Amino acid sequence: LRGQGINSQVEMAAAVHRAGFGALDVRMTGLIAGRVHLEDFRGFVACGGFSYGDVLGAGEGWAKSILFNAQLREQFTGFFERPDTFTLGVCNGCQMLSALKPLIPGTGHWPRFVRNRSEQFEGRVGLVEVLRTPSVFFAGMAGSRAPIANAHGEGRGVFDSAEQKAAALVAMRYVDSHGRATETYPYNPNGSPDGITGVTTADGRFTVVMPHPE
């Protein structure tokens, strides 16, 4: 799934194919015009990039194009509420889905994403660790560590309260060269607390991550 300013859909489609899925390039304009409908799909990946140039905040413009369009809001709500669907948000797609929390069951503990602590865009490779969660995307991968590319200016996760942070189901975190969760730059490029860079839901159907696993 992509909208104006998204630019990593080709790499994501390749990754999806390698994982054994069929992939279709769906644009927001197609959903708005009714040429395609989410009810025809079991899952979607919200891809990375810079929707609307991040002018309204990273992913916020993309989210508002759904929240403030009655037809799209109903369509996305229906998709998220179906028990047989799954969704992955990456980078800008992560930011967008976080802003859609009112529509996605079980995401009340998800953080919002604000400007990096470095106050600049960070394009670098970071070491991440996959944690044990119900996420369908990381089944059997708990404990895995891998270098993954980052490309974002607003990737720092912020929780509204300590209780919200404690309730977060952390699917992925930045670690240092010793494998320890870190807030130290540049191992953690954005300053997210405890290195948190991916969260999921209790049923594992919805997962968002900031780095680009594709």
Side-chain angles (χ1 to χ4, degrees):
L1 179 69
R2 62 183 171 120
Q4 188 276 345
I6 297 304
N7 58 22
S8 64
Q9 72 277 0
V10 175
E11 295 89 343
M12 184 61 73
V16 167
H17 276 294
R18 287 179 66 92
F21 290 98
L24 288 177
D25 182 25
V26 174
R27 306 181 188 188
M28 292 296 297
T29 51
L31 294 177
I32 293 170
R35 293 190 297 270
V36 63
H37 198 286
L38 289 179
E39 67 182 10
D40 298 326
F41 299 95
R42 290 286 298 278
F44 77 76
V45 182
C47 300
F50 305 92
S51 57
Y52 299 95
D54 287 349
V55 170
L56 300 176
E60 292 288 342
W62 191 357
K64 286 177 172 55
S65 72
I66 297 167
L67 293 171
F68 297 154
N69 180 306
Q71 180 265 126
L72 284 183
R73 186 181 180 110
E74 180 180 3
Q75 186 174 161
F76 275 80
T77 298
F79 180 88
F80 293 140
E81 290 181 348
R82 279 169 48 197
D84 64 337
T85 61
F86 60 89
T87 301
L88 174 66
V90 174
C91 198
N92 209 232
C94 166
Q95 296 154 340
M96 181 273 279
L97 286 172
S98 178
L100 290 184
K101 287 194 299 181
L103 309 185
I104 308 175
T107 61
H109 60 275
W110 281 8
R112 51 193 171 87
F113 294 91
V114 301
R115 191 157 181 79
N116 297 340
R117 196 176 300 282
S118 66
E119 291 291 329
Q120 63 184 7
F121 175 84
E122 296 288 343
R124 60 176 69 246
V125 174
L127 185 63
V128 303
E129 179 182 26
V130 177
L131 303 181
R132 189 176 304 279
T133 66
S135 175
V136 298
F137 297 97
F138 296 131
M141 293 179 64
S144 300
R145 295 174 186 158
I148 298 184
N150 289 275
H152 59 260
E154 299 179 47
R156 180 164 56 94
V158 173
F159 295 90
D160 293 332
S161 66
E163 291 76 17
Q164 185 189 47
K165 178 173 172 287
L169 294 174
V170 181
M172 181 184 286
R173 64 184 179 183
Y174 293 114
V175 295
D176 61 19
S177 55
H178 298 285
R180 298 173 299 207
T182 184
E183 297 180 15
T184 303
Y185 180 89
Y187 303 110
N188 179 333
N190 53 50
S192 288
D194 298 334
I196 295 171
T197 193
V199 291
T200 189
T201 54
D203 61 7
R205 294 193 298 122
F206 308 109
T207 302
V208 291
V209 296
M210 187 50 58
H212 284 263
E214 72 275 14

